[in-house]
Amino acid sequence: QSLAMQLLKLVLNCLNFDFIGNSADESADDLCTVQIPTNWRTIFLEPETLDLFFDLYRSLPPMLSQLALSCLVQFASTRRSLFSNPERAKYLGNLIKGVKQILENPQGLSDPGNYHEFCRFLARLKTNYQLGELVMVKDYPEVIQLIANFTITSLQHWEFAPNSVHYLLTLWQRMVASVPFVKSAEPHLLDTYAPEITKAYITSRLESVPVVIRDGLEDPLDDTATVFQQLEQLCTVSRCEYEKTCTLLVQLFDQNAQNYQKLLHSSSRNPLEITVQEGRLAWLVYFVGTFVGGRLTYTSTNEHDAMDGELSCRVFQLISLMDAQLPQSSNEKVELAILWFLDQFRKTYVGDQLQHTSKVYARMSDVLGITDDNHVLETFMTKIVTNLKYRGRCEPVISRTLQFLNDLSVGYPFYCLWHNILLKKLVKIEAVKFMLQNHTSKHFPFLSVSDNCSLSDLRCRTVFYTALTRLLMVDLGEDEEEFENFMLPLTISFESVTQILNSSFEQEAAKRMLIGLARDLRGIAFALNTKTSYTMLFDWIYPTYISVLQRAIELWYREPACTTPILKLMAEFMQNSDHLNILLLFFRSQRLNFDVSSPNGILLFREASKMICTYGNQILSLGTLSKDQVYPLKLKGISICYSALKSALCGNYVSFGVFKLYGDNHFDNVLQAFVKMLLSVSHSDLLQYRKLSQSYYPLLECLTQDHMSFITSLEPHVLIYIFTSISEGLTAVDTVVSSSCCTSLDYIVTYLFKHLAKEGKKSRRCSETSQDGQRLLHFMQQNPEVLQQVMSILMNTIIFEDCRNQWSVSRPLLGLILLNEEYFSELRATLITSQPDNKREVLDQCFRNLMEGVEQNLLIKNRDR
């Protein structure tokens, strides 16, 4: 057995080998193709090869038979081009024959390892072969029936190997999705078995509820990521013979809803039975939402839309039933399922011209009086307000409700006509008007900052105010009075905080209020994407309330729960663009665009400078921190400060030369604070913490692009730290980091090269710029290994690594070569001699080609040669 194990592992490693060097993501199990070498073809064509592994599965104990199945998974994934069409059909026939034998004698599948690998094996069959090929196999009718029975049994035993169900659903999802493309006359039989699979999944999940509650087992609904993944697969399967699916679901929904109503009105209410019924209703609502959302991914008909209307009516009726019990009782799982359904319905049936032609509204009009999407939007907003009013202490429900509100306020990913129409419809709804006029803890308990709520619960306030401000912006225009009225609750809170701070009493209450206010204002600032609206907010907060935030940083710098929201607010205030969204970039790049006579841009930067300097000086006074405290207490705040500073430097709303011209030291102070904070961070931490590295390196890129005079003024030990960080960042896995390092290096090298070029011309003009360049040149002459090391790293990366950002890596290379021609020759010789004899000439020719026709300058034309 030991020999057999080693042999099977060897075969599996051979089959897993990356033959073409495409660095496939091994975690992406569902799209894997094994690129078998052509000279192995004869082995794969022999039917005895597959028979051998099927025999090994049957004859070996579970630990070894699992390895045999793993090998068969790879055999089933063999690239199609290895065979001709007849050979591929024969090979597939042998695989199907083996599947049939395993399913006819399924004893070995009782082992979880064997079961899991066999499920993977089945999924790979459809990944690598088309449905039209599968139906042509001799034993297809018997095998598809065996697979269907196996799947149904697996779904019914939901507690056994739940992670393997993904592969079975993948098989059926892809087979059903392929039905429209099958040209073969042979019956695929999916219209017979797909509804049975859907039924088995639905009934098994409903039957699991009493078992989970009675035995105290882990509820599958708690693992939402897995549930949503499986539901996404199921929605495709359910659309095959959709009438059967809907009939089943309507029957089950009516039955469980009636039982639930009877229990509610029973004189002897049994809490356990009510919980069971609510669990079943939660699953049913998830199913309805899934099947309604499936319309977007499957060819639909008017009849299907009418069925969606039947299903949707029942959920909307359930919403009324559940809300009627408030505030006495509420079930979290049902509420989360309802929000999932509402979001799926929004994506499918709200928007464009769909509602005018869809039959879904015809049935809903007859039953509920909902005739179009205007009524649906009213139902959405009423449900949102109800949740925010009565479920303020249920964080999952509040969080999902606010996300739904946020999605409604965003509309669609593009600023299209329909987006504007949707928002205009929303702001006319009474529930929306109520929220805009009454966003206080009196009406919405989740906004409370009392001691009863945890500080982490306050995070959802940002999403709430982002969505609310988007709705305010629809008709705001230049109406400053309306904006002041909207900000009135925040104004009152700030005044209260000011009084508390001045009286030195109840500091804890002031701190909690400030945390909430910072999160609120960050949401508001994020949503204000026009010059007029942003200016209103700036005039509201400056100078009175921003000084309160400065005071808070001084008082509670040791408490990241307080400093983090305030620093994030300042970072958002400094933000003039969002590089993650092109359309948002277009709108937001205009918002920090103050009038010519306005000093607001400079005033804003001065306040940011004060806050960063205050925080930096205070946080450095904490001294050495333990490993588990260093990020939350120090590095997280530093990363936010760097993000804010980078936004200010790249925002194009401050002329930084003005500060030195008029003797204002705010710019110099914040740069010195940047250096002090940087030197307190180890190089390992700089790369280990992703948020820190993704804020530091883009900031360094900005400094080297526009503020080289600052870089050249730094002390040698600071420059060595920065160059070391660049050197280590060049090899980082994160392309944002490595690309920023390359760009920063390119700016530095270009600056140095231009200085040398000017020196060579012996210009009579002796300017401050030449003195800056002279300082940097002197540093490089004292530390030649700095640029030599980065050149070596870049060359090794290009030649030996899988370089994912080759263009960025190539930018600083020419400047490095021209500045270090002698070292480049040595490095070139070393790299060539390190290669095997048969590759040296090839690499030498590559180097000659690299430098062919290259001139002694850094013009774009010369760089691109």
Side-chain angles (χ1 to χ4, degrees), residues 534 538 541-542 546 550 570 572-575 592 594 599-610 648 653-654 659:
Y534 181 88
F538 182 85
I541 199 172
Y542 182 87
I546 206 163
Q550 300 279 13
M570 182 56 73
E572 179 56 44
F573 240 72
M574 308 302 291
Q575 184 70 263
L592 267 73
F594 300 110
N600 287 351
I602 292 174
L603 295 175
L604 177 60
F605 180 81
R606 282 161 57 101
E607 294 299 329
S609 172
K610 288 179 194 174
Y653 54 87
V654 182
F659 290 94

Side-chain angles (χ1 to χ4, degrees), residues 709-729:
S709 59
F710 163 70
I711 298 293
T712 59
S713 68
L714 295 172
E715 295 293 324
H717 71 282
V718 181
L719 284 173
I720 288 176
Y721 182 99
I722 289 175
F723 275 105
T724 304
S725 70
I726 291 175
S727 177
E728 294 182 358

Side-chain angles (χ1 to χ4, degrees), residues 512-781:
R512 297 179 74 88
M513 290 178 70
L514 266 177
I515 293 171
L517 283 168
R519 294 192 184 281
D520 299 346
L521 287 170
R522 182 177 167 220
I524 293 171
F526 181 82
L528 297 177
N529 52 33
T530 64
K531 172 186 172 181
T532 303
S533 59
Y534 181 88
T535 304
M536 289 182 190
L537 180 61
F538 182 85
D539 292 340
W540 178 85
I541 199 172
Y542 182 87
T544 307
Y545 300 141
I546 206 163
S547 62
V548 178
L549 300 176
Q550 300 279 13
R551 178 89 182 278
I553 292 291
E554 294 174 10
L555 287 174
W556 297 302
Y557 65 91
R558 292 173 177 268
E559 302 183 45
C562 180
T563 57
T564 297
I566 294 174
L567 291 173
K568 283 186 175 180
L569 168 61
M570 182 56 73
E572 179 56 44
F573 240 72
M574 308 302 291
Q575 184 70 263
N576 200 22
S577 63
D578 187 338
H579 299 289
L580 299 179
N581 190 319
I582 296 174
L583 286 164
L584 200 55
L585 170 63
F586 173 76
F587 286 99
R588 298 185 77 194
S589 63
Q590 310 298 316
R591 72 174 192 169
L592 267 73
N593 183 17
F594 300 110
D595 294 335
V596 177
S597 59
S598 171
N600 287 351
I602 292 174
L603 295 175
L604 177 60
F605 180 81
R606 282 161 57 101
E607 294 299 329
S609 172
K610 288 179 194 174
M611 187 173 290
I612 293 172
C613 291
T614 300
Y615 179 79
N617 292 331
Q618 298 279 42
I619 211 68
L620 293 180
S621 68
L622 294 177
T624 305
L625 298 170
S626 62
K627 189 68 176 176
D628 60 329
Q629 288 184 315
V630 68
Y631 181 74
L633 287 183
K634 176 181 173 182
L635 299 183
K636 186 174 183 179
I638 290 176
S639 70
I640 301 170
C641 289
Y642 284 0
S643 295
L645 182 55
K646 187 258 179 187
S647 297
L649 295 179
C650 301
N652 295 321
Y653 54 87
V654 182
S655 176
F656 294 101
V658 169
F659 290 94
K660 187 173 183 179
L661 185 64
Y662 290 98
D664 190 323
N665 59 3
H666 283 88
F667 183 50
D668 289 337
N669 289 347
V670 77
L671 292 180
Q672 292 306 316
F674 155 73
V675 173
K676 289 178 184 177
M677 288 189 284
L678 180 63
L679 294 178
S680 72
V681 180
S682 67
H683 284 108
S684 59
D685 286 346
L686 207 55
L687 287 171
Q688 180 181 350
Y689 297 100
R690 186 168 177 264
K691 288 184 178 179
L692 179 59
S693 60
Q694 289 198 339
S695 60
Y696 163 67
Y697 285 103
L699 172 58
L700 181 61
E701 179 184 339
C702 190
L703 288 170
T704 53
Q705 180 180 10
D706 298 321
H707 304 280
M708 274 302 297
S709 59
F710 163 70
I711 298 293
T712 59
S713 68
L714 295 172
E715 295 293 324
H717 71 282
V718 181
L719 284 173
I720 288 176
Y721 182 99
I722 289 175
F723 275 105
T724 304
S725 70
I726 291 175
S727 177
E728 294 182 358
L730 289 172
T731 57
V733 176
D734 191 338
T735 53
V736 172
V737 170
S738 57
S739 297
S740 288
C741 286
C742 292
T743 306
S744 300
L745 186 59
D746 184 34
Y747 288 136
I748 294 171
V749 168
T750 302
Y751 179 89
L752 194 58
F753 185 86
K754 288 182 177 179
H755 172 74
L756 284 173
K758 289 179 181 178
E759 288 290 309
K761 295 177 182 178
K762 299 187 183 296
S763 172
R764 293 182 180 179
R765 292 179 297 170
C766 181
S767 64
E768 188 177 339
T769 305
S770 67
Q771 293 176 8
D772 294 341
Q774 199 63 39
R775 283 196 298 269
L776 184 61
L777 178 61
H778 179 71
F779 169 80
M780 292 302 178
Q781 289 171 342

Side-chain angles (χ1 to χ4, degrees), residues 825-841:
S825 300
E826 296 174 5
L827 179 62
R828 169 180 171 172
T830 303
L831 290 170
I832 292 173
T833 54
S834 68
Q835 296 300 299
D837 293 341
N838 60 336
K839 292 185 177 180
R840 290 180 181 177
E841 181 58 36

Side-chain angles (χ1 to χ4, degrees), residues 337-583:
I338 288 172
L339 289 167
W340 161 262
F341 160 77
L342 294 178
D343 195 45
Q344 296 301 307
F345 191 91
R346 174 189 69 87
K347 293 175 182 176
T348 309
Y349 289 111
V350 177
D352 296 327
Q353 299 300 313
L354 185 60
Q355 70 272 14
H356 299 303
T357 57
S358 174
K359 296 291 184 182
V360 72
Y361 285 100
R363 182 58 183 159
M364 290 172 62
S365 174
D366 296 338
V367 179
L368 305 172
I370 297 177
T371 56
D372 56 19
D373 63 349
N374 289 326
H375 287 97
V376 171
L377 290 174
E378 288 180 14
T379 305
F380 286 174
M381 297 311 304
T382 302
K383 179 61 180 171
I384 288 170
V385 171
T386 301
N387 282 1
L388 298 181
K389 269 187 173 184
Y390 297 108
R391 298 183 175 91
R393 291 292 170 258
C394 184
E395 196 276 333
V397 173
I398 289 295
S399 179
R400 190 80 64 84
T401 301
L402 290 174
Q403 189 57 55
F404 181 52
L405 174 62
N406 186 61
D407 292 342
L408 280 170
S409 71
V410 172
Y412 290 85
F414 299 103
Y415 285 78
C416 58
L417 176 62
W418 169 245
H419 169 72
N420 294 326
I421 295 173
L422 173 65
L423 289 180
K424 288 185 179 296
K425 288 181 178 180
L426 283 173
V427 295
K428 292 178 182 178
I429 298 172
E430 288 301 319
V432 174
K433 294 177 181 178
F434 177 83
M435 282 196 295
L436 289 172
Q437 295 166 6
N438 300 279
H439 45 97
T440 62
S441 59
K442 175 184 177 182
H443 298 282
F444 301 116
F446 78 95
L447 294 174
S448 171
V449 291
S450 65
D451 295 337
N452 297 328
C453 63
S454 67
L455 294 178
S456 61
D457 291 341
L458 301 178
R459 294 176 182 173
C460 57
R461 299 168 66 119
T462 303
V463 179
F464 177 65
Y465 273 96
T466 298
L468 217 54
T469 307
R470 288 197 189 106
L471 295 171
L472 174 72
M473 289 275 291
V474 174
D475 294 324
L476 179 64
E478 300 179 359
D479 192 339
E480 295 183 9
E481 184 178 352
E482 184 178 351
F483 183 79
E484 290 287 341
N485 290 334
F486 176 75
M487 298 297 290
L488 187 59
L490 283 78
T491 303
I492 295 171
S493 296
F494 256 119
E495 294 296 338
S496 300
V497 170
T498 304
Q499 291 177 6
I500 294 172
L501 290 177
N502 290 336
S503 64
S504 300
F505 293 111
E506 298 184 18
Q507 297 284 311
E508 185 65 25
K511 181 176 67 177
R512 297 179 74 88
M513 290 178 70
L514 266 177
I515 293 171
L517 283 168
R519 294 192 184 281
D520 299 346
L521 287 170
R522 182 177 167 220
I524 293 171
F526 181 82
L528 297 177
N529 52 33
T530 64
K531 172 186 172 181
T532 303
S533 59
Y534 181 88
T535 304
M536 289 182 190
L537 180 61
F538 182 85
D539 292 340
W540 178 85
I541 199 172
Y542 182 87
T544 307
Y545 300 141
I546 206 163
S547 62
V548 178
L549 300 176
Q550 300 279 13
R551 178 89 182 278
I553 292 291
E554 294 174 10
L555 287 174
W556 297 302
Y557 65 91
R558 292 173 177 268
E559 302 183 45
C562 180
T563 57
T564 297
I566 294 174
L567 291 173
K568 283 186 175 180
L569 168 61
M570 182 56 73
E572 179 56 44
F573 240 72
M574 308 302 291
Q575 184 70 263
N576 200 22
S577 63
D578 187 338
H579 299 289
L580 299 179
N581 190 319
I582 296 174
L583 286 164

